[in-house]
């Protein structure tokens, strides 16, 4: 039987790998593979079109700050196309207008995603408002708070080099129209996550189970599930086409 020898160094940067619970980790934050993945995440979160893995590799930048220093001529030259370079340049310029709610989740800070950013937006106005007290008021956990404050402290100069206003966009208060539970597979939306987002935008609360406060059950499958039978017995409104329901 052939024995497979585990690698001891990172194939990308040649740094010594750490073994944790039989998994291999490269701890070099400057590792090219890691910097590229962070830039991919940054571009995807800010919806900068045209910055996929191949484009990022061609650009040769290591941080999101460096991305904003590239001129139109730089992009045309590096991407080897006037059309693609101009398109990416326009996309990068458009991304400068995004609020801190979007910027924070794009920075690859562990445990700081969209939910954490939304919570911070309820108690903070600017980047400078983020501290131990405001994180606690926003309801962030101890580890998330530690990660965020440490990142800001270690990268404050780099952060301020970004062309953003670093102002939070305040959540718009929407009246609660009802509590919705989704049962089974959907036909009108690709995923439950997409449907949940649309429901929340229109003022509905979404629950994963048929709790006492549920007022609407979504069942597009046509299958009379246990949830559906329970909803019928309780007089809960049952929706068979969520898209039509939301467009009314």
């Amino acid at each position: 039987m052939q024995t497979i020898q585990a690698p001891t160094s990172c194939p990308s940067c040649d740094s010594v790998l750490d073994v944790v619970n039989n998994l291999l980790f490269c701890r070099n934050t400057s590792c090219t593979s890691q910097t590229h993945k962070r830039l991919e995440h940054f571009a995807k979160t800010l919806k900068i079109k045209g910055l996929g893995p191949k484009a990022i590799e061609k650009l040769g930048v290591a941080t999101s700050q460096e991305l904003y220093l590239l001129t139109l001529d730089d992009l045309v030259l590096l991407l080897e196309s006037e059309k693609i370079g101009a398109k990416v340049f326009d996309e990068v310029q458009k991304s400068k207008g995004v609020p801190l709610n979007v910027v924070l989740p794009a920075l690859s800070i562990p445990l700081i995603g969209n939910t954490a950013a939304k919570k911070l937006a309820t108690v903070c106005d600017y980047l400078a408002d983020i501290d131990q007290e405001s994180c606690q008021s926003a309801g962030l956990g101890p580890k998330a708070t530690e990660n965020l404050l440490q990142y800001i402290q270690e990268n404050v100069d780099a952060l301020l080099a970004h062309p953003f206003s670093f102002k939070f966009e305040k959540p718009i208060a929407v009246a609660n129209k009802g509590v919705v539970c989704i049962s089974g597979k959907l036909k009108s939306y690709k995923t439950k996550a997409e449907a949940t987002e649309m429901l929340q935008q229109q003022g509905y609360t979404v629950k994963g189970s048929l709790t006492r406060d549920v007022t609407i059950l979504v069942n597009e499958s046509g299958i009379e599930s246990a949830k559906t039978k329970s909803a019928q017995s309780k007089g809960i409104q049952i929706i068979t086409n969520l898209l039509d329901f939301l467009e009314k």
Side-chain angles (χ1 to χ4, degrees):
M1 185 175 178
Q2 187 178 3
T3 303
I4 299 176
Q5 189 68 36
T8 57
S9 59
C10 174
S12 180
C13 67
D14 206 34
S15 296
V16 177
L17 296 172
D18 279 351
V19 182
V20 181
N21 295 328
N22 295 320
L23 297 175
L24 298 172
F25 292 90
C26 173
R27 302 299 187 186
N28 177 18
T29 56
S30 298
C31 174
T32 304
S33 292
Q34 292 188 48
T35 57
H36 283 185
K37 282 296 180 182
R38 285 196 292 269
L39 280 169
E40 283 179 48
H41 174 69
F42 183 85
K44 185 177 180 180
T45 306
L46 266 65
K47 298 181 180 179
I48 304 175
K49 297 177 182 178
L51 278 183
K54 291 183 179 179
I56 288 173
E57 187 176 351
K58 285 183 178 180
L59 294 181
V61 294
T63 66
S64 51
Q65 295 93 317
E66 292 176 20
L67 177 65
Y68 289 97
L69 296 176
L70 295 174
T71 64
L72 173 59
D73 291 338
D74 291 332
L75 289 168
V76 170
L77 179 64
L78 293 168
L79 296 176
E80 303 172 314
S81 167
E82 186 172 345
K83 183 178 179 180
I84 296 175
K87 181 181 177 182
V88 172
F89 181 78
D90 288 341
E91 288 289 326
V92 171
Q93 299 310 303
K94 282 195 298 183
S95 73
K96 293 179 179 180
V98 301
L100 195 52
N101 314 50
V102 181
V103 176
L104 280 182
L107 297 175
S108 298
I109 306 171
L111 301 180
I112 303 300
N114 291 325
T115 301
K118 285 178 181 178
K119 289 180 177 179
L120 286 166
T122 63
V123 298
C124 298
D125 291 318
Y126 297 95
L127 179 68
D129 296 333
I130 300 176
D131 55 21
Q132 189 81 34
E133 185 178 348
S134 60
C135 287
Q136 186 175 357
S137 298
L140 266 63
K143 191 59 182 176
T145 298
E146 180 186 345
N147 291 344
L148 177 57
L149 296 181
Q150 183 177 343
Y151 184 91
I152 293 174
Q153 183 180 7
E154 293 178 354
N155 300 275
V156 63
D157 291 336
L159 277 171
L160 295 176
H162 277 93
F164 305 118
S165 67
F166 290 106
K167 183 177 181 179
F168 280 102
E169 184 176 79
K170 294 299 179 181
I172 300 172
V174 180
N176 190 355
K177 295 181 179 178
V179 182
V180 181
C181 175
I182 300 174
S183 175
K185 292 184 178 180
L186 292 169
K187 295 179 181 178
S188 56
Y189 289 91
K190 291 181 180 179
T191 63
K192 285 186 178 180
E194 184 181 344
T196 297
E197 185 177 352
M198 290 301 297
L199 282 162
Q200 290 174 339
Q201 286 179 4
Q202 294 203 26
Y204 293 93
T205 300
V206 181
K207 295 288 183 73
S209 58
L210 198 64
T211 55
R212 289 183 179 181
D213 55 348
V214 168
T215 56
I216 301 167
L217 178 74
V218 178
N219 182 357
E220 296 186 340
S221 66
I223 300 171
E224 197 172 80
S225 63
K227 284 182 180 178
T228 304
K229 291 179 180 178
S230 178
Q232 288 172 339
S233 67
K234 295 175 181 177
I236 294 172
Q237 183 181 4
I238 299 174
I239 302 299
T240 56
N241 189 308
L242 181 56
L243 190 59
D244 286 347
F245 172 74
L246 291 176
E247 288 181 348
K248 288 180 181 178

